Amino acid sequence: MAASTPAAPDTAPKVKVKKDRTHYLYIAVIVAVALGILVGMVAPDFAVELKPIGTGFVNLIKMMISPIIFCTIVLGIGSVRKAAKVGAVGGIALVYFMIMSLVALGIGLIVGNILDPGSGLAVTDAVKDVGHAQVDAEAKDTTEFLLGIIPTTFVSAFTEGQVLQTLLLAVLCGFALQAMGPTGQPVLRGVEHIQRLVFRVLAMVMWAAPIGAFGAMAAVVGSAGVDALKDLALLMVGFYTTCFLFVFIVLAALLRVVAGLNILKLFKYLSREFLLILSTSSSESALPRLIAKMEHMGVSKPVVGITVPTGYSFNLDGTMIYMTMASLFIADAMGTPMSLGEQIPLLLFLFVASKGAAGVTGAGLATLAGGLQSHKPALVDGLGLIVGIDRFMSEARALTNFAGNAVATVLIGTWTKEIDRARVDQVLAGQLPFDEKTLLDEDGEGDGAGDVHVDLPEQGGEKELAKA
């Protein structure tokens, strides 16, 4: 009988073999990014033609966002006994997002005024034409944005790919199931099985990441060219530096003071998601995985389900910094630098306008164009100066936005006492690895099924007590 005991540990290496396979997948992504940069520099015209490959991969990820958000929120809210908990999470999240957006604007304002990056650049007629062309990329105003949260039909929330529409529908369904009590349990179990299916499909889609990364990076380098990078290097370096300072000073300090966590450990845990964003230049590509990883780390389903999708639309720290520095850059390049009294009203206007363009591809540039046209039309002529490097700027925007949402989820979980700190420490220490195959904890799938999994051990305990 003693010989049978080593059999249990033998199951652990099998799981690790699967983890190793996904590890090779992300090594392949790094190689694909390097090859994409090389192709973009050597054969730029051919590289631009590869853009649909990267777009196709990002669209595959987008396909999964709505069902994942719906399942996560319905399971989270439907299993919570007190509806007030969900309202508290949403209120705290919105207040935090607004404050951090203003902090990001302030940091961008300070660095932008110190660097003064736009001086000395020439604004030609061609640049003016490109700038005015960007205004045609319409960003919704605040009223249209608010009305757009309401889906046309029950199904259109999924088919139109609008995150906030899915969020609204999921919240309503979650509260309805909560009110139904035991009658709603079969529906919750059904949603739980659908969530398993959706995450398994997402895990399959991820194997196309190297191909998508190659196409996306080749197209970016091929379309922008090395000359554009040289001419606008100061703006790019300044923007990346500002984002770095915001993340590793402001966010790191908040995470340390509020949650007692080291931001480097959190980012190490999310390293694959950062790589995915870097290779696709889209924070959307990592949104479903952020939801899964935050739940695995120990943050409750209601907090993850409300904070992550809402932050995706409202917590745009990188976009705030981008619009601040780009506005100052354009004003300097046009030879009409703005005084502080002119800068603040423009930036506050962009702060509000950005909420109306949240979640739209290229929202940073589209919102900047619309804001300048509405508030300071003379600056639209200089918008063409940054169009060539906007895709490179979007890398830092997406990475910063993602980092901000990851930190926000931990902070809000801490403030609402909806986080398992012991589990957080274990996960960040590598003791509880994330299941890359299912993206779910099969031994207990989170809070959505918490009631079921908690009751079973208690019943077992009662039977053992009865036998005794």
Side-chain angles (χ1 to χ4, degrees), residues 102 168 171 220 338 378 452 454:
L102 290 174
L168 174 63
V171 168
V220 171
M338 293 184 289
V452 178
V454 170

Side-chain angles (χ1 to χ4, degrees), residues 34 45 57 63 67 87 147 151 154-156 165 167 181 201 227 246 274 315 325 357 373 387 395 453:
D45 293 336
F57 173 71
M63 175 181 72
L147 290 176
F154 193 93
V155 180
S156 65
Q165 289 186 1
L167 177 63
V201 172
D227 293 337
F246 177 79
F274 280 112
N315 191 34
M325 299 193 68
Q373 175 67 20
V387 171
E395 301 278 359
H453 292 292

Side-chain angles (χ1 to χ4, degrees), residues 32-33 36-37 40 47-58 209-223 276-282 391-392 395:
V33 169
I37 294 174
V48 172
E49 298 298 322
L50 297 175
K51 183 177 180 181
I53 299 177
T55 303
F57 173 71
V58 173
I211 300 173
F214 171 74
M217 191 57 64
V220 171
V221 176
S223 61
L276 192 60
I277 293 171
L278 186 64
S279 60
T280 61
S281 190
S282 171
R391 191 60 189 267
F392 286 96
E395 301 278 359

Side-chain angles (χ1 to χ4, degrees), residues 70-138:
F70 180 81
C71 293
T72 301
I73 296 177
V74 169
L75 289 173
I77 297 178
S79 62
V80 174
R81 289 181 174 81
K82 293 183 179 179
K85 181 190 296 184
V86 178
V89 171
I92 293 173
L94 285 175
V95 171
Y96 171 80
F97 294 156
M98 295 302 156
I99 293 174
M100 293 310 295
S101 293
L102 290 174
V103 171
L105 279 177
I107 292 177
L109 193 66
I110 294 172
V111 177
N113 280 289
I114 292 174
L115 288 181
D116 195 23
S119 303
L121 287 178
V123 180
T124 63
D125 290 338
V127 168
K128 292 180 181 180
D129 292 339
V130 172
H132 284 283
Q134 299 305 312
V135 181
D136 295 334
E138 295 180 1

Side-chain angles (χ1 to χ4, degrees), residues 390-405:
D390 179 70
R391 191 60 189 267
F392 286 96
M393 304 278 274
S394 72
E395 301 278 359
R397 283 203 306 263
L399 290 169
T400 306
N401 291 341
F402 180 83
N405 287 323

Side-chain angles (χ1 to χ4, degrees), residues 248-271:
F248 288 99
I249 294 180
V250 178
L251 294 183
L254 275 173
L255 190 64
R256 171 64 73 180
V257 172
V258 175
L261 295 178
N262 187 324
I263 200 168
L264 294 178
K265 290 184 177 180
L266 178 64
F267 287 175
K268 181 182 178 182
Y269 173 61
L270 298 172
S271 58

Side-chain angles (χ1 to χ4, degrees), residues 151-174:
T152 307
T153 66
F154 193 93
V155 180
S156 65
F158 300 97
T159 58
E160 294 179 5
Q162 298 293 327
V163 173
L164 290 182
Q165 289 186 1
T166 307
L167 177 63
L168 174 63
L169 181 63
V171 168
L172 293 175
C173 290

Side-chain angles (χ1 to χ4, degrees), residues 96 251 254-256 258-259 406-416:
Y96 171 80
L251 294 183
L254 275 173
L255 190 64
R256 171 64 73 180
V258 175
V407 171
T409 306
V410 176
L411 295 180
I412 293 169
T414 303
W415 284 324
T416 57

